[in-house]
Amino acid sequence: MTAESFQEGQVVLIDKPLQWSSFQAVNKVKWALKKNLGLKKIKVGHAGTLDPLATGLLIICTGKFTKRIPELQGMVKEYTGTFYIGATTPSYDLETEVNATFPTEHITEELILETTKQFTGEIDQKPPVFSAIKKDGKRLYEHARKGEEVEIASRKVTVHEFEITRVALPEVNFRIVCSKGTYIRSIANDFGAAMQSGSHLTALRRTKIGEFSVEDAILPDAFETMVRGLNNE
């Protein structure tokens, strides 16, 4: 790969680390290309945000391939992760503190497996109040952090597969294959409510986007090292 090939367009598969924003990962790639390949200007963008508390596959496009971003964003995605059963948080994940606890004595593995059926196929879902969706010109999380009440419209999303991979209460591990726009945090919250309890997301990893897999992705620092090596060839 050369400076020209990145200008012409490359798809870079990044394994986004925990606590990194998707924006940081894009900036790291852009900086590595500019610094090591002598590029003054290059377009770089990602095909689908991952929350800072999530890890895994982030597709980054360079140069002319940034035009492919809408097509890549529309692809089916696969996630693995963990729900914590018996407690909720306002953000539906670990960004905020637990705000309520619920009974779990009645929850069995059978009930957990049965409940997944309610979340398979086309479902109505409300995005979390702590999300980047815009309402009245502001992102929802900006309203939420100010304690402002906002009416959020539900949207239709499709869950193609919902598999429980481990039950060790209060933790439940899962694998979900879903359409663009699906919030796994919302599934976590709604899943707990459907079992007459509560739940929130404690771990999330994006493993696939279409045919792209996190197994073929590299960490941002490894990408920088790779590009530095190209410069020395």
Side-chain angles (χ1 to χ4, degrees):
M1 284 186 283
T2 61
E4 290 73 27
S5 69
F6 281 105
Q7 291 280 27
E8 278 304 305
Q10 293 286 335
V11 170
V12 179
L13 304 184
I14 291 292
D15 185 352
K16 188 192 80 63
L18 191 65
Q19 301 292 0
W20 279 54
S21 69
S22 300
F23 184 66
Q24 276 177 289
V26 167
N27 271 355
K28 178 79 167 181
V29 167
K30 194 170 189 175
W31 178 83
L33 292 172
K34 283 182 161 186
K35 183 188 175 199
N36 295 290
L37 298 183
L39 292 166
K40 284 203 170 74
K41 266 181 78 175
I42 184 164
K43 280 186 179 176
V44 181
H46 67 74
T49 306
L50 263 183
D51 288 338
L53 291 176
T55 67
L57 183 59
L58 191 68
I59 296 180
I60 292 181
C61 297
T62 75
K64 293 177 183 173
F65 273 23
T66 51
K67 290 176 183 166
R68 290 184 58 191
I69 285 174
E71 163 208 337
L72 296 168
Q73 280 176 327
M75 288 180 169
V76 166
K77 297 169 178 66
E78 179 188 79
Y79 296 89
T80 60
T82 306
F83 297 152
Y84 184 98
I85 309 297
T88 55
T89 72
S91 60
Y92 305 166
D93 64 6
L94 295 176
E95 187 187 336
T96 52
E97 298 290 318
V98 168
N99 64 346
T101 55
F102 300 83
T104 57
E105 296 78 15
H106 65 289
I107 293 176
T108 60
E109 187 163 338
E110 186 182 16
L111 175 61
I112 290 165
L113 295 175
E114 192 62 30
T115 304
T116 62
K117 294 175 186 174
Q118 295 180 39
F119 296 90
T120 308
E122 189 177 71
I123 61 172
D124 281 314
Q125 182 183 80
K126 279 194 176 184
V129 290
F130 281 79
S131 65
I133 293 169
K134 282 194 172 176
K135 169 100 177 179
D136 302 330
K138 279 201 295 191
R139 300 202 181 275
L140 286 182
Y141 62 74
E142 293 179 83
H143 290 288
R145 284 171 186 155
K146 287 180 179 174
E148 296 168 358
E149 292 277 328
V150 181
E151 184 57 41
I152 304 168
S154 64
R155 49 168 70 180
K156 291 198 182 297
V157 296
T158 303
V159 177
H160 302 283
E161 296 175 48
F162 187 177
E163 178 190 3
I164 300 298
T165 55
R166 170 179 164 264
V167 177
L169 289 170
E171 291 188 342
V172 173
N173 288 11
F174 64 86
R175 183 183 71 88
I176 286 176
V177 179
C178 56
S179 66
K180 172 190 174 182
T182 307
Y183 278 92
I184 309 299
R185 285 184 285 150
S186 289
I187 291 179
N189 183 73
D190 298 345
F191 191 78
M195 295 193 297
Q196 311 300 310
S197 185
S199 172
H200 63 280
L201 188 67
T202 56
L204 185 66
R205 182 162 176 79
R206 187 157 66 195
T207 45
K208 287 183 183 171
I209 299 174
E211 296 303 309
F212 297 99
S213 171
V214 74
E215 290 175 11
D216 302 317
I218 59 174
L219 292 164
D221 286 343
F223 176 79
E224 187 194 347
T225 302
M226 182 196 78
V227 174
R228 197 184 304 134
L230 294 174
N231 190 30
N232 295 332
E233 285 177 6

